[in-house]
Amino acid sequence: MLHLRPSDYRVMPWKDGGGSTTELAIEPAGASLSDPFLWRVSSARVEASGPFSHFPGRARLLTLLEGSGLILDIDGQGRQRLKHPGQVVAFAGDVPVNATLIQGPCVDLGVISDPSRVKVTMAWLNLGTEATTITVAPTTLLFAPWGPVRVDPLAVELEPRDCLRLGNSPAATEAPGAKLGVRASFGTTPLVLVSIWPL
């Protein structure tokens, strides 16, 4: 188990130099975008409309965290509107994608992965104070965009923008297939669940 906080993240320039992104986690740890990384989870603040960076041979998942969202013109998929919390858009990293801001800057969360080596899913959970049960994948990341979120029986509380990474642990509560309960510490709050399986 690795409890990551905003001070642990890496802020890096976009591959095309048009902005910056906050890298929450990457496998292998410390890899750069020019390395053959397995997967990467990051959040970006999109300030202006324009093309996405190319990541040949990679798969991408994208969800909206803040703002009015984006219109994505994806080659071969047509126009996709990313404007609702919980919506996830999937596309290949090597196809041309042009993003148009709907109304002002927004913040997204994305996963870039090697689809020949891993399967990745992303889900948006709307939590209340009653526990929601999740199943641990071989690698699981829980991101609390607004927090706080309680994770039981691990007795972990995620503050806003914290990320909990589970995987490669002998602990029964963190092993693949284990069940965890996640809930808002008070009121309601979202949680983004990223699950990664080797192929």
Side-chain angles (χ1 to χ4, degrees), residues 10 12-16 21 23 26 30-37 40 53 55 58 112:
R10 294 196 298 178
M12 307 169 65
W14 286 356
K15 188 177 178 183
D16 64 4
T21 189
E23 181 182 280
I26 192 169
S32 72
L33 296 184
S34 59
D35 296 327
F37 64 91
R40 178 185 190 235
S53 301
F55 288 92
R58 303 301 167 107
I112 303 172

Side-chain angles (χ1 to χ4, degrees), residues 18-94:
S20 64
T21 189
T22 300
E23 181 182 280
L24 281 63
I26 192 169
E27 182 64 35
S32 72
L33 296 184
S34 59
D35 296 327
F37 64 91
L38 193 59
W39 53 262
R40 178 185 190 235
V41 179
S42 62
S43 176
R45 180 174 174 84
V46 184
E47 299 275 0
S49 301
F52 273 22
S53 301
H54 283 87
F55 288 92
R58 303 301 167 107
R60 301 189 67 172
L61 298 171
L62 197 67
T63 194
L64 181 68
L65 296 180
E66 299 175 20
S68 298
L70 298 163
I71 298 173
L72 302 175
D73 288 298
I74 306 171
D75 191 46
Q77 290 181 226
R79 178 164 289 184
Q80 306 272 338
R81 292 179 181 270
L82 183 63
K83 59 181 295 187
H84 302 294
Q87 180 185 5
V88 178
V89 174
F91 54 97
D94 49 7

Side-chain angles (χ1 to χ4, degrees), residues 62-163:
L62 197 67
T63 194
L64 181 68
L65 296 180
E66 299 175 20
S68 298
L70 298 163
I71 298 173
L72 302 175
D73 288 298
I74 306 171
D75 191 46
Q77 290 181 226
R79 178 164 289 184
Q80 306 272 338
R81 292 179 181 270
L82 183 63
K83 59 181 295 187
H84 302 294
Q87 180 185 5
V88 178
V89 174
F91 54 97
D94 49 7
V95 301
V97 178
N98 194 73
T100 303
L101 290 168
I102 293 176
Q103 186 178 358
C106 65
V107 179
D108 63 35
L109 182 76
V111 183
I112 303 172
S113 63
D114 182 345
S116 69
R117 300 165 64 195
V118 291
K119 175 187 175 183
V120 181
T121 63
M122 177 190 285
W124 177 285
L125 307 177
N126 291 306
L127 303 181
T129 54
E130 295 294 324
T132 296
T133 300
I134 63 170
T135 302
V136 177
T139 299
T140 299
L141 294 101
L142 305 176
F143 178 67
W146 305 328
V149 170
R150 182 82 176 177
V151 184
D152 291 319
L154 303 180
V156 171
E157 185 163 276
L158 301 177
E159 296 297 331
R161 300 193 67 79
D162 282 5
C163 182

